[in-house]
Amino acid sequence: MRRIGWVVLLVAMVLTVVTLGLRRGASSGTEVTVQPVEQAAVFRALVTASGEIVATRYADIGSNVMGKIVALPVKEGDRVRAGQLLARIDPVQARAEVSAARAAVDALAAEAAAAERAVESARADLAGARARANEATLTLTRTRELHGNGLAPKAELDAAQAATDAADAQVRAAEAALARAQSARTAAAQRIAQSRAQAERAQDVLGKTEITAPIDGVVSRLQVREGEMVVIGIQNQPGTTLMTISDLSAIDAEVKVAEADVLRVAVGQPATVTLEAIPGRRFTGRVVEVGTSALPVVGTQAAAREFRVVVRLDTADAALRPGLTCDAEILTDE
């Protein structure tokens, strides 16, 4: 009887262990949801990049003359037309140079006129010398005939020969004087041409004291104030940038794409641009330019290379302003 009890107890313990194991296995299972097989949505490959909004067409306005700004009739945000006055540089020195150059041209013109009269006088002297030389030659011929016939003394023949030699010398001197006068006239004409070129340069400098808009657009950035000095660029030192004129009729997003992704980007691919400044809006566009060389690395530390990619937005919204940061998603495959 005792043995049967032990067997029953052992069987009960085994059943208890098995029951606990089954309960534990059932509690650790994973619940799943089962549904019919369906066709999935289109899978898209995207390249993401960050950058800023820029105008498709813009111009940084500088100055070709150095001086103080005496007039600045525009302010940032103004809409301007091509040819409109944007700024005026102090024109006093440029105007004085124009007056001096014009006076120099007038003085050289007077010298050229005198040189022309000198040429005419030299030609007249040469004509007179040649006439006298011809007369002396004829007199010498007649004197030789008379001397040969015994009708003229040897002294008269020698005098006629000397007069002929003197007349020939006068002709040569007149020819040399004419050549000198012609050279002086040529030099005067060249000096006039040089002086006129300097006058044109001075007039051009004077004209550049008035800076006008090269394109229609908006003054998107104004970096100077009236009364400030403007300098021009020399060697590696850039000149003063007065302002930036942007044509906001077409807007681009310039983004920097990592070198690992740039080979998948191509011109014509669609893109979507979002801005933190305009939440909830998405602007569509297409890639119009992909940089062929990496952008310069800023700093001395090694960093991944990036390439410039330009996305042309389909619509130029008035809320978009140059300089706003943006994010772009470029669809490279689907």
Side-chain angles (χ1 to χ4, degrees), residues 227-245:
E228 291 185 6
M229 290 294 296
V230 174
V231 298
I232 58 177
I234 52 174
Q235 295 182 351
N236 295 328
Q237 182 178 356
T240 303
T241 300
L242 281 67
M243 64 190 73
T244 300
I245 306 297

Side-chain angles (χ1 to χ4, degrees), residues 133-149 157 160-161 164:
N134 290 333
E135 182 181 1
T137 301
L138 293 174
T139 301
L140 177 62
T141 301
R142 288 194 297 270
T143 303
R144 282 176 179 173
E145 292 177 355
L146 294 174
H147 179 70
N149 295 328
L157 177 61
Q161 182 65 50
T164 302

Side-chain angles (χ1 to χ4, degrees), residues 88-102:
R88 182 180 289 109
I89 310 298
D90 187 3
V92 174
Q93 293 185 0
R95 192 177 292 119
E97 290 180 359
V98 169
S99 300
R102 289 176 177 174

Side-chain angles (χ1 to χ4, degrees), residues 40-264:
V42 176
F43 290 97
R44 291 181 172 87
L46 300 174
V47 169
T48 59
S50 300
E52 65 176 351
I53 298 297
V54 298
T56 300
R57 186 174 178 225
Y58 65 92
D60 291 328
I61 308 301
S63 176
N64 291 321
V65 296
M66 184 171 61
K68 183 173 68 173
I69 300 175
V70 295
L72 191 64
V74 297
K75 59 182 182 298
E76 190 165 331
D78 285 353
R79 182 170 295 276
V80 297
R81 305 286 295 178
Q84 180 178 337
L85 179 66
L86 301 177
R88 182 180 289 109
I89 310 298
D90 187 3
V92 174
Q93 293 185 0
R95 192 177 292 119
E97 290 180 359
V98 169
S99 300
R102 289 176 177 174
V105 170
D106 294 339
L108 291 175
E111 291 183 3
E116 184 65 31
R117 289 192 296 271
V119 169
E120 294 176 358
S121 177
R123 285 175 179 170
D125 292 342
L126 177 60
R130 285 173 177 174
R132 289 190 294 272
N134 290 333
E135 182 181 1
T137 301
L138 293 174
T139 301
L140 177 62
T141 301
R142 288 194 297 270
T143 303
R144 282 176 179 173
E145 292 177 355
L146 294 174
H147 179 70
N149 295 328
L151 299 176
K154 182 68 169 59
E156 188 174 348
L157 177 61
D158 293 339
Q161 182 65 50
T164 302
D165 294 340
D168 291 339
Q170 290 178 355
V171 169
R172 290 191 295 273
E175 290 175 345
L178 177 61
R180 288 194 301 271
Q182 290 174 339
S183 297
R185 182 183 61 181
T186 302
Q190 292 175 347
R191 286 195 298 271
I192 287 178
Q194 181 182 10
S195 181
R196 284 175 178 169
Q198 292 175 350
E200 290 179 2
R201 178 183 180 278
Q203 185 64 44
D204 179 68
V205 172
L206 177 61
K208 289 177 179 177
T209 58
E210 291 189 352
I211 301 173
T212 57
I215 59 174
D216 295 345
V218 175
V219 181
S220 57
R221 181 179 301 171
L222 183 61
Q223 301 180 227
V224 295
R225 296 179 182 274
E226 185 175 340
E228 291 185 6
M229 290 294 296
V230 174
V231 298
I232 58 177
I234 52 174
Q235 295 182 351
N236 295 328
Q237 182 178 356
T240 303
T241 300
L242 281 67
M243 64 190 73
T244 300
I245 306 297
S246 301
D247 182 4
L248 301 182
S249 60
I251 299 295
D252 291 342
E254 288 190 1
V255 296
K256 299 177 182 178
V257 176
E259 59 181 334
D261 299 326
V262 71
L263 295 181
R264 295 193 287 130

